[in-house]
Amino acid sequence: MDFLDELEELALGTRLKRLSERMLTDAGKVYKAFNINMQPKWFSLLALIDKKQKINVVEASQLLGLSQPAVSQFCRQLEKEGLITNIICENDSRKRVLTLTETGQQQVNKMKPMWQAVTHAAKELSQELDNDIYQAIRKCEQAMTRKSLLERTMDIYHEQTDELEFVSFEPKYAEVFRHINEEWISSMFVLEESDKNVLTDPVKYIISKGGKIWFARHKQLGFVACCALAKKKELTFELTKMGVLESARGLKVGEKLLRFVLHEAAKMPMKRLFLLTNKKCQAAIHLYEKNGFVHDRHVMEEFGSSYDRCDVAMKYLAIWHN
């Protein structure tokens, strides 16, 4: 049983690599059967030099779709075998071009009948399939040139954030609130007494005091993030206990949740909003800065002692109308 069959398209790259290695192994056996001392990986470069007669490394790299270091490595190997040499370019004495040696030309001429036989064998192989594999690979390469696998993956991955919904706290979600926050805090810091109190009883320490808690719920992944507004003084709130599960990182959940919370905060009777964090949380700090928070020493002096880990304090610059 082939496990790659279970992985299907997820293992497309692995499968193509395996097929490529098998094809190259068979190509090596073909050369051996014809008593030709040749490595299959040199074939395309030799065929290109034979067709162009003279070509430089940069042009060869572009035409073969290989990196310049890879082409240069093949050139050194072929020069060592005495099959090619580099000479001064006739049009520009500062440049050197690749050309076949007499031995190299003889070797290529000897291989051409074999190449023709391999071409027919490859066509025969392709015709045994429901689809022409050669044309399919060409189209796949063209499609990847238009839009890479990375670009396609990231677009689809980020589109999944459209499947988020924001849910207000209910007592039945208390365990979710604890789990999300324990995961991110424990991964970077030690849970402090104030953390334990809030996570054990968010109703007592946040909701009953006039605060709010929201969750981001993904249609496939479930609850993936949370954020709270804890009331500290009259018209003064702390943005706190904002965390995103590791399983949802990269979906921009944190940014969308933060913007939602700030939108909701604008509806509340509030004159001041601040947050406390740590320099280790650079990604979070950048997100806060991007969304209107600035560093503030007065906030640090007034509230910074709330957590031992706190060494960054920020306030929100929006103008509150409540």
Side-chain angles (χ1 to χ4, degrees), residues 173-226:
Y173 300 143
E175 181 60 21
V176 177
F177 182 69
R178 182 195 63 77
H179 170 65
I180 293 173
N181 278 290
E182 279 191 354
E183 183 185 271
W184 80 263
I185 295 173
S186 300
S187 69
M188 302 179 71
F189 309 102
V190 174
L191 282 169
E192 300 180 22
E193 196 62 31
S194 59
D195 295 317
K196 295 176 183 177
N197 290 336
V198 173
L199 299 184
T200 300
D201 196 346
V203 173
K204 176 182 177 180
Y205 289 95
I206 296 179
I207 303 300
S208 65
K209 293 184 178 182
K212 301 277 189 179
I213 298 174
W214 291 275
F215 299 91
R217 182 164 60 190
H218 190 278
K219 290 183 180 178
Q220 276 77 47
L221 302 176
F223 287 100
V224 293
C226 62

Side-chain angles (χ1 to χ4, degrees), residues 223-252:
F223 287 100
V224 293
C226 62
C227 184
L229 293 178
K231 188 174 182 179
K232 294 301 179 179
K233 292 182 178 181
E234 191 64 27
L235 304 179
T236 298
F237 286 76
E238 176 189 3
L239 188 143
T240 184
K241 296 299 179 282
M242 180 170 173
V244 178
L245 289 179
E246 185 68 32
S247 60
R249 300 286 167 82
L251 289 174
K252 296 188 177 180

Side-chain angles (χ1 to χ4, degrees), residues 45 48-49 52 54-79 84-87 89 95-99:
L45 180 58
L48 177 63
I49 297 173
K52 296 291 186 180
K54 295 174 183 177
I55 191 170
N56 62 46
V57 171
V58 174
E59 293 171 329
S61 171
Q62 293 171 343
L63 289 171
L64 295 175
L66 299 174
S67 67
Q68 289 187 36
V71 173
S72 296
Q73 183 183 39
F74 292 165
C75 288
R76 289 192 294 271
Q77 293 169 350
L78 288 168
E79 285 187 88
I84 69 169
T85 186
N86 65 82
I87 60 175
C89 178
K95 296 181 180 180
R96 302 188 73 84
V97 293
L98 307 170
T99 188

Side-chain angles (χ1 to χ4, degrees), residues 22-285:
R22 185 170 181 176
M23 294 285 286
L24 289 173
T25 297
D26 270 11
K29 292 178 180 178
V30 170
Y31 284 118
K32 189 174 182 180
F34 282 82
N35 294 314
I36 296 174
N37 182 25
M38 177 67 58
Q39 293 189 38
K41 64 182 181 181
W42 297 337
F43 153 71
S44 58
L45 180 58
L46 273 178
L48 177 63
I49 297 173
D50 175 57
K51 182 175 179 62
K52 296 291 186 180
Q53 295 298 305
K54 295 174 183 177
I55 191 170
N56 62 46
V57 171
V58 174
E59 293 171 329
S61 171
Q62 293 171 343
L63 289 171
L64 295 175
L66 299 174
S67 67
Q68 289 187 36
V71 173
S72 296
Q73 183 183 39
F74 292 165
C75 288
R76 289 192 294 271
Q77 293 169 350
L78 288 168
E79 285 187 88
K80 187 176 180 180
E81 295 293 324
L83 300 177
I84 69 169
T85 186
N86 65 82
I87 60 175
I88 296 175
C89 178
E90 296 174 356
N91 299 325
D92 189 342
S93 60
R94 296 170 298 176
K95 296 181 180 180
R96 302 188 73 84
V97 293
L98 307 170
T99 188
L100 293 173
T101 63
E102 184 177 344
T103 300
Q105 189 64 64
Q106 291 173 355
Q107 185 78 299
V108 168
N109 291 339
K110 181 181 178 182
M111 288 190 290
K112 283 182 177 179
M114 182 200 71
W115 287 352
Q116 188 173 13
V118 171
T119 298
H120 287 294
K123 286 182 178 179
E124 180 183 287
L125 179 62
S126 295
Q127 290 168 1
E128 288 186 21
L129 310 175
D130 294 334
N131 298 300
D132 188 322
I133 188 172
Y134 173 71
Q135 293 301 328
I137 291 174
R138 282 191 67 220
K139 290 178 180 178
C140 182
E141 289 178 331
Q142 291 167 358
M144 290 185 71
T145 298
R146 290 193 300 271
K147 188 174 183 180
S148 71
L149 182 62
L150 171 63
E151 293 170 327
R152 294 170 190 269
T153 300
M154 297 310 294
D155 284 349
I156 293 171
Y157 200 54
H158 288 148
E159 282 173 7
Q160 293 176 355
T161 56
D162 294 337
E163 299 186 355
L164 281 180
E165 62 176 334
F166 302 110
V167 181
S168 296
F169 178 86
E170 294 181 34
K172 63 182 179 181
Y173 300 143
E175 181 60 21
V176 177
F177 182 69
R178 182 195 63 77
H179 170 65
I180 293 173
N181 278 290
E182 279 191 354
E183 183 185 271
W184 80 263
I185 295 173
S186 300
S187 69
M188 302 179 71
F189 309 102
V190 174
L191 282 169
E192 300 180 22
E193 196 62 31
S194 59
D195 295 317
K196 295 176 183 177
N197 290 336
V198 173
L199 299 184
T200 300
D201 196 346
V203 173
K204 176 182 177 180
Y205 289 95
I206 296 179
I207 303 300
S208 65
K209 293 184 178 182
K212 301 277 189 179
I213 298 174
W214 291 275
F215 299 91
R217 182 164 60 190
H218 190 278
K219 290 183 180 178
Q220 276 77 47
L221 302 176
F223 287 100
V224 293
C226 62
C227 184
L229 293 178
K231 188 174 182 179
K232 294 301 179 179
K233 292 182 178 181
E234 191 64 27
L235 304 179
T236 298
F237 286 76
E238 176 189 3
L239 188 143
T240 184
K241 296 299 179 282
M242 180 170 173
V244 178
L245 289 179
E246 185 68 32
S247 60
R249 300 286 167 82
L251 289 174
K252 296 188 177 180
V253 173
E255 184 168 3
K256 289 201 170 188
L257 177 58
L258 176 61
R259 290 178 179 175
F260 172 81
V261 169
L262 292 176
H263 177 75
E264 293 299 304
K267 304 174 186 177
M268 297 169 62
M270 186 184 307
K271 291 295 184 183
R272 185 164 60 145
L273 177 63
F274 71 92
L275 64 83
L276 305 172
T277 186
N278 184 279
K279 292 176 183 176
K280 286 184 180 180
C281 306
Q282 283 301 311
I285 291 172

